[in-house]
Amino acid sequence: MTGAQHILGLTLEGVVFSWGCDEQHQLGRRRVHHNASHPLVPGECALPSGIIDIGAGPYHSFAIHKSGTVYAWGSNNYGQTAICTSAGQSDAVVAYPTKVQSLKRKSKIVSIDGGKDHSLAINEEGQCLSWGRIENKALGLDMKALNSSDIIFDVYDRPRILKAPTVVSSIDEPVESLGVGTDHSFAITKDGHAYSWGFNAQNQTGQPGDVDEVVLPTLLSNKHVD
């Protein structure tokens, strides 16, 4: 699993290794000063064994434990780790793998991935959840339907960050896999339908027309997609 400047690897034994740039603490290693491995050399993350899946945004990282617990670390200026600590501050980071309490729910998380300032997850029921930066329209949500208590507003009282992982309700069929770009997103359902949304200035969502932003998940439909 790759970020912009770091890589995560998951072994068959459920151990996570990381290497690359660690400027935003995206490697998630134990903070020791003696015998510490070089960041460009694979080193073990500060996680329990039993990890079953991993995910990464450009500057943040995730791990899912077999118990259903989700861990996150790295850049957090838009709350993209789903941990509220320092979210909204330009230099916010989660310095080490931390349990994500906001993703502790009845239906366990089975897959997770990140964009630059937002993230997506799938739970056991096949629901897609999103959170993070609001302005880039990569969340796939109708902002008018959200609870204001789940939103961090900027100094001009504009909605800036969705801090609570929220179900993308406009996808009304079970989701099986995700694709997350810097500022756009894809979801593939169990029936093979593909939805996309987010920033679209170069038509990176695959949607036709001259629309710069696709706000809600929209079914991909053309001669190359059945």
Side-chain angles (χ1 to χ4, degrees):
M1 185 63 64
T2 62
Q5 299 172 328
H6 77 293
I7 297 174
L8 301 179
L10 177 62
T11 70
L12 293 175
E13 292 75 27
V15 178
V16 181
F17 287 81
S18 63
W19 59 99
C21 178
D22 196 32
E23 289 183 357
Q24 284 80 36
H25 296 264
Q26 60 265 53
L27 297 187
R29 297 188 187 179
R30 292 176 174 81
R31 298 287 156 183
V32 295
H33 297 289
H34 60 283
N35 298 324
S37 60
H38 192 280
L40 297 183
V41 176
E44 187 174 340
C45 295
L47 289 161
S49 60
I51 300 299
I52 58 173
D53 199 11
I54 52 178
Y59 306 105
H60 64 294
S61 306
F62 295 104
I64 303 174
H65 190 262
K66 61 184 179 182
S67 65
T69 298
V70 178
Y71 293 84
W73 61 98
S75 178
N76 198 43
N77 53 328
Y78 284 97
Q80 57 266 52
T81 66
I83 297 169
C84 289
T85 304
S86 303
Q89 300 179 16
S90 60
D91 58 349
V93 296
V94 176
Y96 53 88
T98 302
K99 292 181 180 180
V100 183
Q101 298 299 331
S102 63
L103 287 172
K104 188 177 181 180
R105 48 187 67 211
K106 291 181 180 179
S107 185
K108 294 179 181 179
I109 300 299
V110 296
S111 181
I112 195 165
D113 205 354
K116 182 177 181 291
D117 300 321
H118 76 293
S119 300
L120 303 178
I122 305 171
N123 64 20
E124 285 181 322
E125 296 178 7
Q127 294 175 313
C128 177
L129 300 92
S130 68
W131 62 94
R133 187 176 182 178
I134 290 174
E135 304 103 304
N136 62 1
K137 305 299 189 296
L139 300 184
L141 298 168
D142 179 1
M143 292 298 117
K144 296 178 181 178
L146 298 180
N147 191 324
S148 61
S149 64
D150 293 334
I151 296 173
I152 296 176
F153 294 83
D154 66 16
V155 294
Y156 301 103
D157 205 31
R158 296 174 300 196
R160 187 184 186 202
I161 297 168
L162 178 62
K163 59 184 179 180
T166 302
V167 174
V168 182
S169 58
S170 56
I171 303 177
D172 58 0
E173 52 184 313
V175 174
E176 187 169 60
S177 61
L178 300 170
V180 187
T182 302
D183 297 302
H184 63 293
S185 308
F186 295 90
I188 311 298
T189 70
K190 290 184 178 180
D191 288 334
H193 299 143
Y195 291 81
S196 66
W197 63 95
F199 192 57
N200 192 48
Q202 284 79 44
N203 295 103
Q204 56 265 60
T205 67
Q207 299 295 344
D210 299 321
V211 179
D212 286 345
E213 295 170 339
V214 178
V215 177
L216 297 177
T218 303
L219 187 67
L220 282 170
S221 180
N222 59 53
K223 65 180 182 180
H224 303 293
V225 180
D226 187 359

